[in-house]
């Protein structure tokens, strides 16, 4: 077992705290029939980046604002299909409220709906897609998360499930990066776990098994 005593914990949302794959696929597949025929969410999506950044690679410039708005609405509509990642609700419920934040590539409304659907408290510290000028893998999101909590990013542990998110955390200077799940690709992490059943908050420290 590994024990870490950070100043704060920064969680990615989708794939770390919530399982939104089916919810997202439902929205993206319906959206793609109108805006990106031939795009297959399950095999072609780059996990961990903002939806608007992906749309920009798929849709002509003159149609992008409309396409992003349509996708945002579709994802919000399917958010109720979201489920918790195993062990995640137990973990977030035990960390003191001022010591953790969510740093996500989702929009604020979507993140809040997915967290609530999965049974998580919605933290006051939440960095969403619209809060930053540059999304993951840029370091800005994780720097913003640490700033919201008033802590040094070097004293934060980050939980991430995607290569873009790991690169963001590393570039920001996060003290520890824990990889979750099987979408990490070649990302270099300090520890790797299947889900949050392998993480426990106890006596002011984070304990990792496996």
């Amino acid at each position: 077992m590994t024990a870490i005593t950070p100043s704060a914990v920064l969680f990615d949302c989708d794939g770390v705290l919530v399982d939104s794959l089916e919810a997202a696929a439902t929205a993206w597949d319906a959206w793609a029939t109108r805006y990106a025929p031939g795009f297959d969410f399950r095999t072609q999506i780059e996990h961990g980046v903002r939806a608007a950044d992906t749309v920009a690679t798929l849709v002509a410039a003159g149609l992008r604002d409309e396409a992003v708005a349509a996708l945002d609405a579709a994802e919000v509509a399917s958010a109720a299909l979201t489920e918790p990642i195993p062990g995640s609700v137990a973990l977030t419920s035990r960390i003191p409220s001022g010591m953790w934040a969510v740093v996500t590539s989702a929009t604020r409304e979507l993140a809040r709906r997915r967290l609530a659907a999965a049974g998580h408290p919605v933290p006051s510290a939440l960095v969403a897609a619209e809060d930053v000028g540059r999304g993951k893998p840029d370091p800005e999101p994780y720097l913003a998360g640490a700033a919201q909590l008033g802590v040094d990013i070097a004293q934060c542990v980050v939980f991430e499930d995607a290569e873009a998110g790991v690169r963001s955390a590393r570039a920001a200077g996060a003290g520890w990066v824990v990889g979750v799940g099987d979408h990490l690709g070649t990302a270099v992490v300090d520890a790797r776990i299947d889900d949050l059943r392998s993480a426990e908050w106890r006596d002011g420290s984070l304990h990792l098994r496996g």
Side-chain angles (χ1 to χ4, degrees), residues 58-114:
L58 298 171
V59 177
L63 199 59
R64 283 178 194 161
D65 287 348
E66 175 189 324
V68 169
L71 180 58
D72 286 348
E75 290 208 284
V76 167
S78 69
L81 300 173
T82 306
E83 298 181 351
I85 292 291
S88 61
V89 174
L91 182 59
T92 59
S93 66
R94 289 177 183 146
I95 303 174
S97 60
M99 288 188 65
W100 68 282
V102 168
V103 179
T104 179
S105 295
T107 64
R108 179 170 297 271
E109 181 180 7
L110 180 58
R112 291 176 65 88
R113 286 177 180 258
R114 284 179 173 170

Side-chain angles (χ1 to χ4, degrees), residues 9-29:
V9 183
L10 306 178
F11 292 100
D12 178 41
C13 184
D14 301 284
V16 172
L17 295 180
V18 308
D19 180 354
S20 59
L21 274 177
E22 286 307 308
T26 297
W28 278 81
D29 288 350

Side-chain angles (χ1 to χ4, degrees), residues 1 20 39 45 50 68 83 119 123 129 141 151 161 179 184 186 193 197 202:
M1 179 176 288
S20 59
F39 178 77
I45 195 68
R50 296 183 297 184
V68 169
E83 298 181 351
V151 297
D161 76 311
L184 290 159
T186 60
I193 58 178
R197 289 175 292 188
R202 187 173 73 249

Side-chain angles (χ1 to χ4, degrees), residues 82-195:
T82 306
E83 298 181 351
I85 292 291
S88 61
V89 174
L91 182 59
T92 59
S93 66
R94 289 177 183 146
I95 303 174
S97 60
M99 288 188 65
W100 68 282
V102 168
V103 179
T104 179
S105 295
T107 64
R108 179 170 297 271
E109 181 180 7
L110 180 58
R112 291 176 65 88
R113 286 177 180 258
R114 284 179 173 170
L115 286 166
H120 287 283
V122 178
S124 57
L126 171 62
V127 178
E130 61 266 46
D131 297 324
V132 294
R134 295 176 64 87
K136 302 173 186 178
D138 192 87
E140 185 181 353
Y142 279 110
L143 290 171
Q148 283 196 17
L149 293 173
V151 297
D152 183 350
I153 186 66
Q155 296 302 315
C156 293
V157 58
V158 169
F159 283 83
E160 261 291 349
D161 76 311
E163 189 167 359
V166 172
R167 289 169 57 198
S168 174
R170 289 293 191 202
W176 304 270
V177 181
V178 179
V180 181
D182 57 4
H183 292 295
L184 290 159
T186 60
V188 177
V189 295
D190 298 303
R192 189 184 294 250
I193 58 178
D194 291 335
D195 56 49

